[in-house]
Amino acid sequence: MKPIRLFFSIANFTYSSTDRKALKNSLAHSLRIPLLQVKTLEWRDELAGCNLITRYEKTEKLSQLNDEEKDEILYNLLPEPRVANRNVKLKKRAESKRKLKNAIASELKHGNYDAADLMKRWHEVREDQAIPPSWWRKLRENPPAMKRTKQRMSMLTEYFDLHNELCGAEPRSNQAYLQEVVFKIPHKWKIDTGLIPLEQYSEIVMAFYREYFPDYDVTLVLSHHDERLLNTDTGAHCHVYVSTLNEQTKKRDLLKQQRIETAKFQRSFGPVHRTELLPLDGKLQGWQVPNSQFEFDRMFYSFVNARYLNSLGISAEFCSEAERRSQQRRAMNIQSTLPKAQRSFNLESMVKEEVARERKALVKIQQLLSSTEDQLAKKQDALLMVQMKHAEELVRFDIETKQRNDKLSFLDTEINAKTEELTQVKAALVLMRSQLAEVTAKVKTTIVELVEASFMSLAMKANKRPALVEKFTSIFVDRLNENLPNFLQPIAISAQSIMTSKKAEKVFRASISENELS
């Protein structure tokens, strides 16, 4: 079970003028009627739609009521104001009643029986009952015949006003008239409306009163969830106004009945450790009042735990004795009796604390931001240096790239030229191969022919036919010149040289006999 604390407070308002004013302020706060003299933040208007009002067993949003309807609820719940200078006015009414009795006798004496009957009816109205306003209106609109009419009307007016002002049996000023119950789970326990809905707060209190005090009417219930920070969902609470009038006995004895029920609970709860036994007749001595209040709170805690909280895994517990006796606790108890606007802890103080926290957080954020900005500036400087370095390297790289590209372009041009040249060389080689093949064939033929021609020439020379040799040599050389390309022209010259050589002729003659030549 998660232990929590409850805020359960009861305020009793009497008929005194002081309590009437206090009740008016309490109702104005609960009904969300702003008072001019209140300058502190008591609730948030932007959360007005969260508040509820329950009357005549019907629940609706408080924001649906206009100011006139709220004022009507407020003044209908206030006790009638006590009559100022009551004793003086009682004496004046007695004197006015004596004058009325004398006037009746005078009117009878003068034969004004209608006037006498009217005054007699007024005189016979009991002191605790009001003279009907319709009688006054009828008298004013159609006065009967009477002596000294103006004086009689003035006397009747004075008596009507005094009697109706004093006709109520005014209760003692210290008699309890209305009881206000405030039930709340403080913000610190983090119980939001997702766990305990707003409607359940008033349901808990009304169920408690139906259980122990069924004869007393719950006249008004107001549930609030607008006294919180905008980003929270805790602090829901209710104000329950209970009449002190017992519907069975017609006596205002709620406080006495509460003391009786408290004493019964004390005996039924178990061993009593903290307090002495309380009287069952509800008549307390002064020193017993705090004990009775404690036992009443214990009765409410027990009821709430058993009926509602324990099933949610929550247990309402009282604070420790040390905490109750602490200086802070005593200050809280004193402040609980003050109006919310005068308490040191209220919605305005919560908002101020939130603003202070936000400002503190903002200062930290600003400091962090300033530090971050400094670090960012340093990083930006370092980044700028890196960027400059990279820019220089990039420029250098661009230059080198351009140079390489230019060199590549030049090499491409050279390669293209060399390729073209190579192509030409290949074509030349192909041509030269074909030419070489052709030349080779011609050379072979020429060499054969040359050998044959040389032989023939030598043979003709050996047979001493010089003219035929010369003619044959000339024809053969011309033929060589025609058939051989220019670069083989030396062959023709060599052939001519050989064919005309004397040495060759001698060798030829030496190797070949006359017979062979012939």
Side-chain angles (χ1 to χ4, degrees), residues 23-274:
L23 176 58
K24 179 181 178 182
N25 291 336
S26 174
L27 286 168
H29 169 82
S30 299
L31 288 165
R32 297 309 189 235
I33 302 173
L35 299 177
L36 295 177
Q37 66 268 28
V38 176
K39 298 180 180 179
T40 57
L41 180 65
E42 294 192 356
W43 60 80
R44 285 188 178 276
D45 292 331
E46 56 267 45
L47 299 175
C50 300
N51 299 331
L52 304 174
I53 180 171
T54 303
R55 297 179 298 160
Y56 316 120
E57 299 183 356
K58 178 185 177 183
T59 301
E60 58 185 328
K61 287 191 175 183
L62 181 59
S63 58
Q64 294 177 346
L65 303 182
N66 57 38
D67 291 341
E68 292 181 359
E69 291 172 321
K70 292 179 181 179
D71 286 338
E72 183 179 356
I73 294 172
L74 186 152
Y75 285 103
N76 284 340
L77 275 179
L78 292 179
E80 291 295 327
R82 292 178 61 81
V83 179
N85 302 319
R86 181 178 177 82
N87 293 332
V88 175
K89 290 178 180 179
L90 284 171
K91 291 179 182 179
K92 288 182 69 175
R93 185 178 69 169
E95 179 64 21
S96 181
K97 192 170 186 178
R98 184 186 62 78
K99 290 180 181 180
L100 180 61
K101 184 177 181 180
N102 292 337
I104 294 171
S106 176
E107 295 300 330
L108 287 172
K109 183 178 179 180
H110 290 89
N112 297 327
Y113 298 108
D114 290 340
D117 289 342
L118 182 146
M119 294 177 189
K120 187 177 180 180
R121 279 197 299 162
W122 283 37
H123 189 271
E124 290 175 349
V125 174
R126 288 165 42 184
E127 290 186 354
D128 61 344
Q129 294 180 349
I131 299 172
S134 59
W135 292 8
W136 166 249
R137 288 194 298 270
K138 185 177 179 180
L139 171 64
R140 187 180 58 184
E141 294 169 359
N142 188 22
M146 56 183 138
K147 296 290 288 185
R148 298 191 296 278
T149 303
K150 186 174 181 180
Q151 182 180 351
R152 294 282 193 245
M153 290 295 291
S154 177
M155 179 199 67
L156 289 169
T157 299
E158 180 184 31
Y159 182 75
F160 176 82
D161 290 340
L162 284 170
H163 179 85
N164 280 3
E165 184 178 6
L166 297 167
C167 67
E170 193 170 67
R172 301 188 314 274
S173 61
N174 63 347
Q175 183 178 13
Y177 164 73
L178 196 68
Q179 186 173 90
E180 179 188 10
V181 182
V182 181
F183 173 49
K184 177 181 182 179
I185 299 178
H187 293 279
K188 66 178 290 184
W189 303 109
K190 309 298 183 184
I191 304 298
D192 57 34
T193 54
L195 185 61
I196 301 180
L198 175 62
E199 299 86 344
Q200 197 165 33
Y201 285 83
S202 57
E203 179 186 331
I204 290 172
V205 176
M206 289 190 291
F208 175 74
Y209 272 76
R210 284 194 299 267
E211 177 78 14
Y212 292 101
F213 315 106
D215 296 332
Y216 300 88
D217 182 40
V218 176
T219 57
L220 180 66
V221 177
L222 292 157
S223 303
H224 297 149
H225 197 34
D226 60 349
E227 298 181 26
R228 57 188 170 99
L229 303 177
L230 295 178
N231 58 348
T232 63
D233 190 32
T234 58
H237 63 280
C238 67
H239 299 255
V240 180
Y241 294 89
V242 184
S243 173
T244 61
L245 180 66
N246 190 316
E247 297 292 335
Q248 303 299 324
T249 64
K250 302 301 179 183
K251 294 181 179 179
R252 294 193 175 274
D253 57 358
L254 174 61
L255 271 62
K256 179 181 178 181
Q257 191 63 33
Q258 286 177 337
R259 291 193 290 268
I260 292 172
E261 291 296 331
T262 298
K264 292 179 182 178
F265 169 79
Q266 184 191 47
R267 285 165 172 77
S268 66
F269 189 79
V272 178
H273 300 290
R274 182 179 182 275

Side-chain angles (χ1 to χ4, degrees), residues 433-448:
R433 282 194 183 101
S434 63
Q435 290 178 350
L436 181 60
E438 181 183 357
V439 168
T440 301
K442 289 183 177 182
V443 168
K444 287 180 179 180
T445 304
T446 302
I447 291 173
V448 173

